[in-house]
Amino acid sequence: MKRTPCSPANSILESDLELAVQQETLEKLKVMETPEGFYVIAQVKWAEGKEWYLTTRRERTKPRLFKDLKRLNDHLREAYPTDSFELYRNQSVPPKAKQPKTIDVPQPKVDLPKTQARKGNV
């Protein structure tokens, strides 16, 4: 199954996901098994059909990977108490979103006026 690249536009933080559970807007959780570990995809009611990757603040362009399914299940049960989640095996990690190219624009040189020492102020 080919996934869309993970980017800040389709990622969600844990605090936002916890808020969705509290407001009862979390529709479905999917857990994807990869050779590297497991990652979580959330679907919320207010964004029909859109899938959100669970990410961290530091790395919004790749999903948060969990190494152990039991720990992930315990974490999901504690942080996002839902009745169930779907487990998909033999998945791949979604590609990172391409970063926009930045252009270095040289800044103009500004000559600041030189300050002169006043006589008598020592």
Side-chain angles (χ1 to χ4, degrees):
M1 179 180 277
K2 185 153 171 94
R3 297 261 169 225
T4 58
C6 184
S7 70
N10 64 351
S11 65
I12 190 167
L13 299 173
E14 288 203 30
S15 58
D16 298 329
L17 197 52
E18 287 175 11
L19 185 61
V21 170
Q22 290 172 358
Q23 295 175 347
E24 298 179 0
T25 58
L26 180 63
E27 191 170 315
K28 186 188 295 186
L29 283 177
K30 297 179 181 181
V31 175
M32 304 296 169
E33 179 186 34
T34 68
E36 294 87 19
F38 301 88
Y39 65 92
V40 177
I41 294 177
Q43 290 179 327
V44 290
K45 293 177 183 174
W46 48 265
E48 291 183 31
K50 186 169 181 179
E51 294 183 333
W52 301 85
Y53 295 105
L54 180 63
T55 61
T56 62
R57 283 193 200 282
R58 289 187 180 182
E59 294 192 70
R60 296 295 297 260
T61 57
K62 75 177 207 181
R64 179 178 177 195
L65 283 178
F66 295 85
K67 299 294 181 185
D68 184 34
L69 184 58
K70 181 176 178 354
R71 286 185 184 173
L72 171 59
N73 187 35
D74 292 343
H75 178 71
L76 292 177
R77 186 179 302 131
E78 182 181 317
Y80 323 113
T82 58
D83 291 336
S84 63
F85 66 85
E86 295 176 3
L87 176 64
Y88 293 83
R89 297 196 182 274
N90 301 322
Q91 301 295 306
S92 60
V93 177
K96 285 186 178 183
K98 294 179 182 174
Q99 295 291 337
K101 292 184 179 179
T102 57
I103 301 172
D104 292 330
V105 178
Q107 297 296 322
K109 223 177 195 184
V110 178
D111 292 332
L112 298 175
K114 295 180 181 178
T115 58
Q116 297 176 354
R118 294 185 184 176
K119 294 181 182 177
N121 290 340
V122 181

